[in-house]
């Protein structure tokens, strides 16, 4: 049975889980240039947001270690930081794509690249409600439910964070400066 905190956030989780991917998809069709804004491409952002993905992966692993050691507050702080990193990543990612043309992968490992990219994108959409639900379960102090869903959320989020770095490393030689 859900408690008041969970009930309170369920609609918000649903809305954010739909609105965020739709907004990102919509913003891909919008560029600063088309809006009549003379903004130089944010070509400096990809290595920064790839690094943020790497930091997120490290934070997730550290958070699991912390909770296994019984350090709940440390775990909580690490998870909040990981969520914050994911948010900053998303903002930078959208800003980059609004200011720059898409880059085509020209390497020898095209099937591998596109497999990683597509699974990364699909799972990055799926991870939004999973992270939010997992967080709300902890907020509601429903740690039995939190632990159960975290076992699903953690590997998917870790995969998204790590593949974000891999996608960057594979595509970065083909960026137009």
């Amino acid at each position: 049975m859900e408690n008041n905190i969970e009930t309170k956030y369920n609609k918000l989780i649903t809305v954010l889980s739909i609105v965020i991917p739709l907004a990102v998809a919509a913003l891909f069709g919008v560029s600063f240039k088309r809006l009549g804004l003379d903004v130089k491409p944010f070509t400096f952002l990809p290595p920064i947001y790839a690094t943020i993905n790497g930091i997120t992966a490290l934070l997730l692993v550290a958070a699991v270690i912390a909770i296994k050691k019984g350090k709940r507050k440390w775990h909580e702080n690490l998870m909040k930081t990981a969520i914050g990193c994911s948010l900053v990543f998303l903002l930078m990612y959208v800003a980059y794509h609004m200011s720059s043309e898409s880059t085509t992968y020209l390497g020898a490992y095209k099937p591998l690249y596109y497999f990683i990219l597509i699974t990364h994108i699909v799972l990055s959409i799926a991870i939004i409600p999973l992270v939010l639900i997992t967080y709300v379960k902890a907020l509601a102090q429903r740690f039995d439910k939190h632990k159960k869903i975290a076992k699903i959320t953690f590997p998917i989020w870790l995969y998204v964070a790590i593949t974000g770095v891999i996608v960057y490393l594979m595509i970065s030689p083909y960026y137009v400066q």
Side-chain angles (χ1 to χ4, degrees):
M1 185 150 157
E2 292 182 351
N3 69 22
N4 289 337
I5 291 174
E6 291 171 290
T7 304
K8 176 181 170 186
Y9 286 106
N10 280 344
K11 286 181 185 167
L12 182 60
I13 290 170
T14 302
V15 168
L16 289 174
S17 298
I18 294 167
V19 168
I20 291 171
L22 289 177
V24 170
L27 289 172
F28 261 81
V30 175
S31 71
F32 292 125
K33 188 181 269 185
R34 282 192 212 132
L35 294 173
L37 301 171
D38 187 25
V39 176
K40 290 185 181 186
F42 297 147
T43 55
F44 63 92
L45 285 178
I48 296 170
Y49 63 67
T51 300
I52 290 172
N53 263 328
I55 291 168
T56 300
L58 294 173
L59 288 166
L60 293 171
V61 171
V64 168
I65 292 168
I67 202 62
K68 287 185 183 237
K69 289 185 175 184
K71 300 185 179 209
R72 188 179 284 177
K73 191 62 180 170
W74 185 33
H75 170 79
E76 180 184 337
N77 290 336
L78 288 165
M79 293 309 301
K80 286 178 181 177
T81 305
I83 291 169
C85 283
S86 291
L87 224 90
V88 169
F89 160 82
L90 185 61
L91 294 173
M92 287 183 177
Y93 181 79
V94 168
Y96 170 75
H97 284 283
M98 286 181 69
S99 73
S100 305
E101 297 296 320
S102 290
T103 302
T104 302
Y105 179 77
L106 302 170
Y109 302 103
K110 236 177 204 182
L112 176 63
Y113 172 78
Y114 284 107
F115 173 79
I116 293 169
L117 178 64
I118 290 166
T119 58
H120 171 81
I121 291 168
V122 169
L123 292 174
S124 70
I125 294 167
I127 200 62
I128 296 167
L130 288 171
V131 167
L132 295 173
I133 291 166
T134 305
Y135 182 75
V136 168
K137 296 287 183 204
L139 199 61
Q141 298 186 3
R142 299 284 306 274
F143 297 114
D144 55 331
K145 302 284 185 189
H146 169 79
K147 185 177 180 180
K148 192 173 183 179
I149 194 160
K151 287 182 180 187
I152 297 165
T153 304
F154 169 73
I156 296 171
W157 195 0
L158 186 62
Y159 179 86
V160 169
I162 291 170
T163 56
V165 176
I166 293 168
V167 165
Y168 166 74
L169 292 173
M170 290 181 81
I171 194 79
S172 63
Y174 309 105
Y175 281 128
V176 177
Q177 295 296 325

